Amino acid sequence: MIAYLSGTVREVREHSAVVVAGGVGYEVQCPVSTLGKLTVGETAELNTRFIVREDAQLLFGFHDADSVRVFDLLTSVSGVGPKLALALLSAMPVSALAAGLLGGDVKLLSSVSGVGKKTAERLVLELQGKIPEHLAAPATGGGAKAARVTSTAGRDAVDALLALGFREAQVRGVVAELLSSDPDLSADSLIRKSLGKLR
């Protein structure tokens, strides 16, 4: 099993990156949060999971241990493959995803492309007691509720961004992350900053 990969970033693609280590270029499937931290020509250090199937051998990479932990938990659920787990991790920050699982937020989970209501319910049922609560706290502090959008400005920003056609899971994750850093942001500021992250 390949658990860790360190090498030079050769290419960053839409859903993956090519990392050269020991003269070999590895294509690594990564969530959006990890891809955003990779720069061509610089060294990348990734926690990885190597998955072998009849038709493919896939390498998944993550910039932090929390993402790997959640990936492992997601793929332990029947019917949830690595690509769907990656889609969930790409749609929102780990803290928002963990909070959604802990809080039983089926609507949030099912707003991710490829996740139906039944799959979302199964994820909550099987993982609600397995997700460590500290994962639901944004890096700036706070508990599971911090990943939810509760302020009026936050709700207004979410509504405006949804009207522009963005996916609910992505919007809520980004707005929650911004509010965890600065709870006093106005709706206009939230929309402007969110657009910069979503585009």
Side-chain angles (χ1 to χ4, degrees), residues 7-12 17-20 37-44:
T8 303
V9 179
R10 173 86 179 252
E11 188 179 347
V12 178
V18 176
V19 179
V20 177
K37 294 182 182 297
L38 302 180
T39 303
V40 173
E42 294 190 2
T43 299

Side-chain angles (χ1 to χ4, degrees), residues 61-76:
F62 309 89
H63 68 282
D64 67 330
D66 287 346
S67 294
V68 181
R69 179 80 181 273
V70 173
F71 179 83
D72 288 343
L73 287 168
L74 290 170
T75 54
S76 72

